Every structure is written in C-alpha cells, then in structure tokens.
Amino acid sequence: MSARDLISGEADVDSQDEDESFDEETGEVRRKTNGVKGINGHLEDSSEEDDDDDDEEAAAAVRKDFIVEDDEEPEERERRRRERKKRRREEREEEEAGLDEEDLDLIGEANPNFERRAPSEPKLKRLKRGHKEDRDGHRSKGIENIFDSEEEDETDFRNQRQSHRIDPRNLQDEFADFIEEDFDDRDGAPDDDDADVARPAVRTYTGIKDAAGLDEAALEDMKEAFGEGDEYDWALNIQDQEDEREGVLDPDDPEAIAKGLELKDVFEPSQLAEKLLTDEDHEIRAADVPERYQLARAPYKDLVLTSEQFKEEGIWISDFLWLRKKIKPTLKEPFRKAVAKVLEFMVANEYEVPFIFQHRKDYLIYQEKVPVTPDPNEPGAPDFVISAEKLLDQEDLWRIFDLDLKFRALIDKRNALSETYKKLQDIVDFHDKVFETMLPAAVTMEELQDVQDYLHFQHASKLADLAALNASSTANGTHRRPGSGRALFDRIRSSNVYGLVRAFGITADAFAQNALKEGRRRYTEDPASHPEDLADEERIMDPPEYSTGAQCLKAAKAMFAEEIALSPKMRKVMRVAFYQDGVIDCFRTEKGLRRIDEHHPYYSFKYLRNQQLTEFSDQPDLFLRMIRAEEEGLIEIKVRMQNEESFKKRLYTEIESDNYSEIAEAWNRERREVLDMALLKLDRMMARGVKENLKNECEDQVAKRCREEFSRRLDQAPYKPKGMVLGTVPRVLAISNGAGSFGRDAICWAWVEEDGRVLENGKFTDLFLGDPDRGQEDSDDVKSFVRLVERRKPDVIGVSGSSADSRKLYKLLDDIIERKDLRGPTYEDDDSNDRSDKLDLVIVNDEVARLYQTSERARLEHPGFAPLTNYCVGLAKYLQSPIKEYAALGNDVTSISLDPAQAYVPREKISKNFETAMVDYVNLIGVDINVALSDPYTANLLPYVCGLGLRKAQQLMKVIRLNGGDLINRAELIGDADQQRLGAVGGRVWANCASFLYIDYDSSEPEADFLDNSRIHPEDYDLARKMAADALELDEEDIDAEVNESGLSAVIRRLIREDQQYKVDDLILEEYAEQLETKNNLRKRATLETIRAEVQNPYEELRNNFTLLSSEEIFTMFTGETRESLYEGMVVPISIKKVGEDYLEARMDCGIEGTIPAIDISDRPDVAPRSLYQQFQTVQAKIRHINRKTLTATFVMRENEVRNPVKHNYDREPGDWDDDQERADKDSMKEKNDVSGRTQRVVKHPLFKPFNSAQAQEFLGSQARGDVVIRPSSKGIDHLAVTWKVSDNIYQHIDVLELDKSNQFSSGSTLTIGGKFKYSDLDELIVNHVKAMAKKVDEMMLHEKYQNGTKAETERWLSTYTEANPKRSVYAFCIDPKHPGYFFLCFKAGQHAQLQSWPVKIVPQAFELQRNMYPDMRALCNGFKLLFTNMQNGKRPGR
C-alpha cells in the first residue's frame, strides 16, 4: 500500500487532452487543454515506466509458474532492502535539489540577457469547470480585483516554492489579497483553484542550464549560492534510521504490509476522540455491556465486589435513600430488599434504568393481602384486597445508579488503604487498633479520608520506608510524601519528649471515644509532678533541639493537639456537631462594601447572619449566589457552631481528670490548652468540608430542579388539533417577525409537512388588516396569507419571536383568522358529523428555534434560508415533536436556561441530569428503528435508547445498513451466522434495548411479529401469546395447529386479524400472576397489565398533551424580563415615542409600551408636555402597573415619585441581619464621601455613583462589556465623568461638560463631549454615545480578523503566517490597552515586509481610521485596503 492509496477524495482527471467548460455568461462551450497525459493526475515519467516493467516481469512470472517463489536468503533480502532505501534517498535528494521557476528567476536577474519565463499553465484542471475564462497560472490584479479571497489562493501558494523577496513593482498585487470576501459580490474574485488537484513533478538538475539559459559561470555561481545538494545527507541518514525504529512501512516487506496503517497513525488523537474513533471507543462498541455503564464505571472496571461488599452496598444505599423517602416505617425492610434487587439487576444482570422500570416494575412495588370483614350481603366477595405501595420510582433508580458509583469509589479507596496497611505489616510486624477499627466503619469518603490522614500521620516513617523499598508511591496513590510538619512530629514521636505526651494521662483515641459517647468512659490519670517540673527532667529533654523544659512542653502540647486533630473519631465528633449546630455568617469585604449597594443583587445577603444549614435546602440558589460572591471577593462566608462555648466546655470534661489538687489543676489547664489548639485546626477543616458539601448539595438540588423542568418539556406529545389522535404529527405553518419591529421589518414564514419537509417559505412586508368601515382594504400580504392557508390547510399556525412586538403579530393573525373565518382540519364529532373549528393559533416556545436559526445544522439542512426562516422552521418542528428538537441539539441543550440558578451549577452536572431525563422519555415513547435509518431526527434519539449510547447507536445503524436495510423483526438485531447476517448488538445489550426499538407491523410479511411493534419485551412474548390464546379460548391442540401452520406468532396474528384484541380485558390476571410467582418464581403482575394494554394499543402515546405557554412564560420569552427583574414601583429609563396634548407614549428597552397621563408627567400641571419633552427623548420613569398578558405598562414621571423607587422587602427573622454593621457601613461611606467632597454633587440617575476613577473601575470589574458608571468629575461642578468598560481591565473615562445649568447643583440641559457630540440628558448620552461605542467594540471583537491578544502576540501571529505563506499579505486587529477606545490595525505585506500598525478609534456609530469614518467592519477593512493601495508610492510610518 502506498501513501497515495490512503488519500481520500483525490480528484480523478480525464486522460483526454482536452476538457470542456461552460461559460455561464455567454453560454459557449469551450475546449481546454489539460497539459497532462496520464492516469489520475500522475505524470507518466520514466520512473513509473520502470515500475510498470517490474510489474510486467512479476506478472509473467505468475503466468509461468503460478506462484512467484520467494526463497531468497535473509542476507539477500536485507541487501535488496538497503538498495531500495538508497534509491529512495537519492530520489529525495534530487527532488530537494530541484529548482523551480522562481529560483531560476532569482538567479537570472543578475544576467542582463536573462528573459523571464512566462507563467506556466496549471498542471491539472479541476473537474467541472464553471463560467471562468481560461486563465494563466498567475494573473496580475489591479485595484478593481483586490477583493479576492485569500482562501482560494492558499493552496496555490502552498504547492509552489516560495519567493524570498517582494518585488516593489508588484506591491499592489501583493496587497490585493488583504480582502477576504468583504463584499458579497464574488464575480470579481479570481478562481485560482487549479492547484487544489495539482501534483508537482519531480525536478532534477537535468536541463537546468538549457532551461535557464545560463552559462558555465552562472551555473557555478548558482552552485556556490545553493550548494551541491548533499549538505543534508546527514539528516536524510538520520531520517532513515528513524524510519527503521518507528516501523515505517516498506512496500516490498510482506510483514510490514500485513501490519497496515491504523487511524491513529494518520489522524490527531483529538480528531479521533471528537469522532469517537479511539481505541477506547472501539472497545466500548465491541463490549456487550450498556454504553452508559461502561463510561460511568470506567474508573472502577477492575474492581470486583465481594458478596459481603455487595450486601453492604445494598444496606448503604437503602439507608441513604430511606432518609428522603416518605414511606411508612413498617416498609423499611421491603424497601431494603427492593434496593438490593435493583442493585442485582444493575450489577449482575447489567440492566439499565429504563429496562428495570419497564420490565421489572413488580420488584419496585410492595404488595400485600389485606383481609376484609366479610359482608353477609355479598357472600361471593373476596376475603382480602391487594394493597400496593410504590417503593421506588424512576428517579430513585437513577439515584441508585449514582450511589453505586460512589460506593465503588468508596470500596476502591478502602481496598487501597487496606492493601497499604498490609504492606506496612509485611515490613514491620505491628497492629494499629484505631486503623483496624475505623477502616471498615468508614461509610463516607470523608471518613475514609480521615482514616488515610491518620495512617499517614501515625506511620509516616513506615510509609517512607515502604516507598523507598518499592521505589514508588504505594497502592493507587494512597501514599503521600510527608511534609515538613509530618517530619517534625515524627522526630517528636521518636524522641524522649513523647514521654511528656503520654504524661497527659489519656490518649487522643480514648478522649475521642469519650466525646463520641462510645463504650465505657476512659478516665484521665494525673502524673505525680507538675507539668513544668516534669518537662525539666533529663529523661524528657532531648538536646539539642529540646534542651529546655519550655521547649519540651511546647512540643508535647503541639504533638498531642495534632493527634487529637487527626483522630478519626474526634473528626467524626466535630463533623456531627457542625452539621447539627452549624450556622453560616456572611461578612462583606472592603471590596464588597463599595460594590454591593442597595440595588445590587448580592445585597440580600450582605449582612446575613446566623443561617442554619437546613435553611438552604429550601433556597439552594441563595447559597450558590453567596459562593459566587465570595469567588468575586465581595463577601466572606464563615461556618461556625452555634453553641461553640458550651460544646467546648462539654469536651473539657471528657479530657480533664476528676482529681482535686494543684497538680491536677495544672495538668487540666494544659489539657484545655491542647484541646483549644486542636479545635482551632478542626474548626477550619470542618468549615471547609461543610461549605463544600453544602455547595455540592445545593448544586444537586438546582440540577434536580432543572431536570424536572426539562422533563416537563419532554413530557409533551406533538401538538394535537381538535379531532386528531394524541401523537399524530400536525402540518404546521410557522410565522415570526423575530426581533424586528412590527409594521416595519419583514415577517417570515415556513410551511412544514408532517414528515418534517419544508415545502414552502416566504415573507410578508406589509401585513395590514383593513377597516371596512373606513373603506380601507386589506393589504396584499393579508390576501396572500389567506390564500396560503386555504391552499395548504395547516393543522395549526405557530407564532413566536424575540421582541414584545411579536404579541402584536399574534393579535393581528388572530384577527385575520377571526375575520376571514379560517378553519382548521375537518374531523368527526361524537355524533359522527363532520365539523371544523377555528384554525388553531398558538404561541410557541422558541428556546430551541433560537439555537437552531444560526446553527451549522440549519445551514446544512436549508443552505439558502435566512436565519429568521430557519427560526420559523424550528418553531414548526417543535410543534411537531419537542423531544426530537431537544435531542437534535446534542450538547448544546445545556445552553437552554431552565432555572435562574442554573448558571451557578457546573455544565457537566446539568448535562448529566438532562441526559437521564432524555433517556427516560425516549424509552417511554420508543424509537421506530426503520424510520431512524432514513430520518436523522429520529436517529438522534437512538443514543438515549436503553443499552445504547453514541457509539453503539452508530454501530447499530452501520450494521443494519450492511445487512441490507430495514428490519422485519427484533431478532434480526442479534444477527444470524447461517444467513450471513451481522449482529448489530450483543445479547446483553439486545436484552436492554429490544423492547424500546419497535418495528411497524406488516401483516403481509410472514416473518413479521405484531409484538415487535409493542412495548412488550421478547422475554415476555410467550406470556403475550398465552394471553392471546386464552382470549381466543383456544385449547392446546388449537394452539399447536396454529403454530405449526404459521409460526410462533400465529396466535397473535389471528387475534389481530380477527380484531379481537378487546377480549384480553376479560382475562383475570391476578390468578395468572400468582401462578407465575408460585411455580416459576417470576413476579409479573405489572408486566401482564402492560401486555394487556400493548396488545390493544401498541406503543400508545403516554406523554401529556402539548403544553401551551402561560402568560408569565410568554412575558419572559418576548421581553427577557421576569418578576424579579421588572416589577411595579421600579424606576427605569423609557424612550418617548409620541408627545400628545395631555399624554405621552413611551417604550422600555425590553419592548413594553405604555402611556403617561398629564397628571403623572410633571409636578407642574400647567405646563404642556410638549414644552417639556420631545420625541425619542430618554427619561426616567417609575412603573405604576404592568399588564404581563398584553405587554403594556403605565408609568409616572413626577419627580417625587421617581426619587423614591420601591425597595425590596426581605422577610427576615430577628438576628438574621446585622443592622448595626449595615448602619455603621453607611455612616462610614458617608464620612469618606464627605472628606473627599464627592457627595457635594448628587445626580438623580440610577447609574450615578459617588466614586472616583479607581472605585469606578473596581465596580465595573465584574460587569459586562459596555456597562457604565456616572460619577463626579474632579474638573469642577460643571463637569461629569462617565466611566465605561471597554473590555476586561480596560476602562474609558469620558469628560462631560455641562452647559445651560440653572444652578451649580443642577444638571446641565446640554451635555457636550470633546466639543463634537451634544446631548440633551444623560440617558441620551448613554444610549447614543457610550452604548453606540460599545456596540462598535463588540462588532470589532467579534470580527474574524480580531486577535484576542496583545499587540506583540498579534505581530508574532502575522510573522508566523507570512513565514508559512511568503507571498501572502495579512492584517489583523487587536486592542490597545494603553489607550481605551482605540484598537491597533496591524499588517504585514509579505514575509520580508515591515510590520506596521495604524490606530483605529471607536467613535459613536463608526470606526475612525486615518481621519476617515467607516460605519461597519466591512467598510473599515475595505477602506484600509484602499488607503494602503493609494499610499504605496509614498509610505506613511505605521508606528
């Protein structure tokens, strides 16, 4: 195999000399000369002819002797192999030494008689040439053609030898490729793509002198300049050696050919991982284990639980779940058995959650017979009734699955610690009762960590010896390098000072046992000497380190305190105390003092105190917001025990002696000091652990809430118009104005058939309903809309958008439907009469459509559609099948926000919960496997099928196609060797997925089985057939006759054929279930009910009806606001739309419109509104009322109202808020402001802050790009400063001069910036100046030419690019951090050109370059190129 054989996608080129191309402009057919004669584009040179000769000799040998014998000796084979390598090396040398035309040009420039060769024709032509004229290999480009795409030229430059200097005469041509399709008109772009398929021929020195026209002297100069070509023989030799070591394939070596190339030899590991083609992915496909199990258990795949550990796991999980279940206490033992059985299904049988929930439901329910009192009036009544109690639901099964993984991690670490302990015992014969007692008792990872810390503290020296012996860390990373602190305690433990530790009269473990109230109490014994006297004894001192009694006593106390702090039992005591009596306090930092004001979202916990841990279970988002604020450095969260002093006093009694003497008192004093030292360490450790666990618990709760909301979205069938069966896919006409203004912007629509095909789309530009009373006719678009509806007859019209104007569109469409009497589909009512109702019009949830409209998937499916049309397609498909649309999003589904606190939860945790919800509902509705083969949207559901995953779903589809396509029955999934049918899945995976992959029943197909179209599992087919036979009242002989004649499914087929399914309702299933449990030990009561339902209605739609959006949800979707972000009494900026005689019409940024009556406009009713306000002016107003259904509001603008916005009222218990600290902080801030003089200036604006520049920058640090702070100016009372965030750590300070001030404290009625820009008020300045510049910054930073780095990094990128593409010219933008509001335009006109940069200034609505204004990035890029072209002859310094 040659490397060429591995290249896919190589163009085939005709062997004919001429090719035809079609000129679209003239319609002429032209002949072209390829210039190449060969096969597949390979030149027929002499080397290939030699190879052909060898092939002919080999073929002749085959014809003669049938087998070409290969009986050469190893030495001969090795000699031939060396010769081949030498020949290949020589060929490489010749190729490297070959000179191309540019080299010859460069050499010949010194020769006056040298004539430059004309550019050669491309070696090969691309197949199917278009309308372009025949072209030269290189064509000079004038200014009219400088907008050519560099991508089109890239390959051409890559396949040619690069020139090493720039021709100044061609500088204009060099800079032509700065343009990268900045204009939509591409007709002027040259089509230099011949090189895409060109293959450069091997060049040698042969004919150089003739070709270049050089004499001997010139040739010698050339050799002197470029060498003889043998300078790099040493490198080629090294390469040959590398080839031998790395096993590069030798085409003449049979063993090497047998090895072959693997994907990992060709592609990068990241590419293989992205396409799921790594070795691990192949192992997952091949293993007959559910994919989700393989992925989740990968860290523990070598762990095998013993029978005792498996029993322990059942108890461990059931105890964990029992605390959260609200079940009668008498059912604890049945509950424990149910958990153990589910674990058996998951671990031993490897059944996934959907299988267990669907086909092992009887084990999740506890049933018992409850005797009833006999009724004399009903002698035949049963003596008992069946009482059923659900023990586990589907969510519990997923919880068990997660807990199984946690238990495996627990056992894995426990086994590792046990193994380490055994290895220590092999070195030193010892026993540690604390370790041997606490290790099996540890039931959490925290407790195991306590045991591990104890082991590493108590036996650090032994572990060091073990590590030295093994020359590596021990057992699964449980050994850690002891730190300096551990070494210190090891020295104390081995010195005489440790005798003073023993003198405390009680061990750390005994004291912890007393504190834990375990066993009998251990009493403390007092020494006969005073602590200081004992420490001064020679037997205690250990010079030189411990040469005084004070040093010895200090070291002993530190050692004893460390032993207490590292005692597993003592940590357990502390952990229990913290979780029972722990409280959380919030303390603002200095940064938070200034940043968190009363309008800040974090103010609700700025002074929060004494919060019980249990209080956060009901509001997990509060704690997650606190964690986020702490990460931002605004607050500090402290966890402490509520009754710490009483807890400490209780511990004192457990460590003190009961003796009464001066010595006993002295020793008790030392013991209390030791305990205080230990508690200080334990407090910090426990606080960290509690905070981390509480954070994880809150994240889990929020993720659970998101899962529940996502499940609600999945639990909806396709929209069901009246008269249709639930689950039927409707035909949809979707229409939207997007974010456009109603009445001005276009309205797009799309018609989508029930099979998902988009058959028609268009737009309306003037959708206006006339008024017959005034003689106004309907617009042409209204008539077109009516004709469209009458022609297509949709089942429903879906409308949505991303602006408040979408509500107006909905209202207009509703009026059209009402006035034009547009009707929905005809259906038959209860009286068997045909009828039709008004056409359904619904507002559709657009969260999926918003992601779809600009996605790559939309571009591939509908390449010619506008984004808004794709948006309409997304709306229509959501109405047809919400679950398919969510599945099609893949990993992007986590971009959908389902909870306000979702942003505080790690994306991986949200994704995991979304996946389990998707698995639940995909297996609820099942997947038609044959439809999935042809419909990619249905195929997107396959990875969520029980037992499958992304890899196994791909394998399943691939194998089914290899087997010939559509399946007839479920058994074909396993494969059949006799029929040469490959197995798509293994037996265990098939058992998981079989019932969730259904096949539409075809009665004309002999091998088809009706049960394959149902939720009935193949393992229960015999039960279903038995029930069908009983329903048909067939005896054994009748059954045998049917089976012998028509196969195993004969009875079911007869039941369906005769339409007798209803008879299964007459069967008494309780007795049958009892027989199965008694005789076969099978619990199938719930399964029999499933069979009964499925036989009558296979795969019945079990989801809820399509859920219509509530008014609150529509309000949020159209405006982006919630009740928390927009409420009555809030002061907001509004833009005046219309000024009337006695009223104003205004609009908020979110699109909500409203009116202000004259009485609410001003405190001066005698002044007309027109004299105070004008159209498009932005002012502050207070919201009086919001109508969330109609998206309208009423405002009040009176100054006394605007000055007093409604404040949040927090419902707090006494002691939950530090009022004193709040009051002190306000007074402190006021004093600071008084000293600085900043509060002398107060501006009535929500963005005004009494900050200096540093405080403003700190305040904006965590804000979004474009956010603003208005602050006092140091230039005087007639100035204001506006600080806005340009980018991270870049802020621009704008000086605003106030003119026409009525007094020195009031705001000026005219605000000017730089003498150029004038505004009437601050709101107008912010919107039309700051926000306008922020939009330009966003436009710049989102442009493809923007480099997100420093100027130096951008210039390095330019240099690297031009080195790789010497003939290319390139430019890029980067930010100028030293001059906020400026960017650098860096460019390099070729490899050896000078790096240059021009400043680009951001101004409102434009970019300024060289004193020229450009409205957008496209104009800026094109303007730059024109400027550079015009200034070529007179360069301007760029730096």
Side-chain angles (χ1 to χ4, degrees), residues 239-396:
Q239 182 63 46
D240 290 339
Q241 296 172 12
E242 290 291 333
D243 290 349
E244 292 181 7
R245 282 199 299 269
E246 296 177 4
V248 175
L249 294 180
D250 189 336
D252 295 324
D253 185 355
E255 295 181 1
I257 293 176
K259 294 177 183 177
L261 279 177
E262 297 183 8
L263 288 174
K264 61 184 178 182
D265 301 322
V266 181
F267 298 101
E268 292 292 333
S270 59
Q271 293 175 300
L272 295 178
E274 181 183 355
K275 299 297 183 181
L276 304 178
L277 293 174
T278 64
D279 292 340
E280 293 78 10
D281 295 320
H282 294 319
E283 291 175 3
I284 292 174
R285 289 187 182 90
D288 188 19
V289 179
E291 182 172 326
R292 272 174 286 276
Y293 279 4
Q294 294 188 62
L295 294 173
R297 295 172 179 171
Y300 323 109
K301 61 181 179 181
D302 298 326
L303 177 66
V304 179
L305 299 180
T306 64
S307 59
E308 290 300 320
Q309 290 172 338
F310 192 72
K311 292 179 181 177
E312 179 189 357
E313 180 180 10
I315 298 173
W316 185 79
I317 293 178
S318 61
D319 288 346
F320 191 92
L321 292 177
W322 180 256
L323 299 174
R324 307 188 180 197
K325 297 293 289 186
K326 298 178 181 179
I327 303 178
K328 293 183 293 187
T330 55
L331 297 178
K332 186 171 185 178
E333 189 58 31
F335 178 80
R336 181 169 289 179
K337 290 181 179 179
V339 171
K341 195 64 180 178
V342 168
L343 273 176
E344 180 184 337
F345 293 144
M346 289 183 174
V347 178
N349 304 118
E350 294 184 324
Y351 291 145
E352 274 209 275
V353 168
F355 178 92
I356 298 172
F357 186 73
Q358 180 67 28
H359 303 297
R360 298 293 183 268
K361 193 172 295 184
D362 295 270
Y363 295 90
L364 312 179
I365 302 171
Y366 177 72
Q367 295 181 346
E368 60 178 346
K369 296 181 179 180
V370 180
V372 296
T373 304
D375 188 351
N377 299 325
E378 297 184 12
D383 298 331
F384 59 86
V385 294
I386 301 295
S387 174
E389 183 83 22
K390 181 186 287 188
L391 301 176
L392 297 168
D393 55 26
Q394 198 162 5
E395 188 176 334
D396 293 330

Side-chain angles (χ1 to χ4, degrees), residues 127-140:
L127 300 179
K128 296 183 180 179
R129 306 303 293 171
H131 59 278
K132 303 298 180 185
E133 296 291 336
D134 292 342
R135 298 148 301 165
D136 296 336
H138 296 283
R139 186 168 52 188
S140 178

Side-chain angles (χ1 to χ4, degrees), residues 421 425 430-437 454-455 458-459:
Y421 184 67
Q425 288 181 318
F430 78 101
H431 288 278
D432 189 317
K433 292 184 178 179
V434 174
F435 181 86
E436 294 174 357
T437 303
Y454 169 82
L455 180 68
Q458 203 69 27
H459 305 287

Side-chain angles (χ1 to χ4, degrees), residues 1282-1346:
V1282 175
T1283 301
W1284 69 285
K1285 185 175 182 179
V1286 180
S1287 186
D1288 292 339
N1289 301 318
I1290 301 177
Y1291 310 90
Q1292 186 179 41
H1293 305 284
I1294 302 174
D1295 177 40
V1296 180
L1297 176 63
E1298 300 177 272
L1299 302 176
D1300 302 328
K1301 294 166 63 77
S1302 58
N1303 58 67
Q1304 62 177 349
F1305 298 106
S1306 65
S1307 299
S1309 58
T1310 302
L1311 307 176
T1312 65
I1313 298 177
K1316 297 181 181 179
F1317 305 99
K1318 292 185 178 181
Y1319 304 100
S1320 60
D1321 56 29
L1322 286 171
D1323 290 306
E1324 183 185 1
L1325 183 146
I1326 291 171
V1327 172
N1328 296 330
H1329 193 92
V1330 179
K1331 294 297 183 181
M1333 289 196 296
K1335 288 181 180 179
K1336 290 301 169 186
V1337 171
D1338 290 339
E1339 185 180 350
M1340 170 72 77
M1341 300 182 79
L1342 294 174
H1343 193 263
E1344 60 180 1
K1345 287 292 186 181
Y1346 179 77

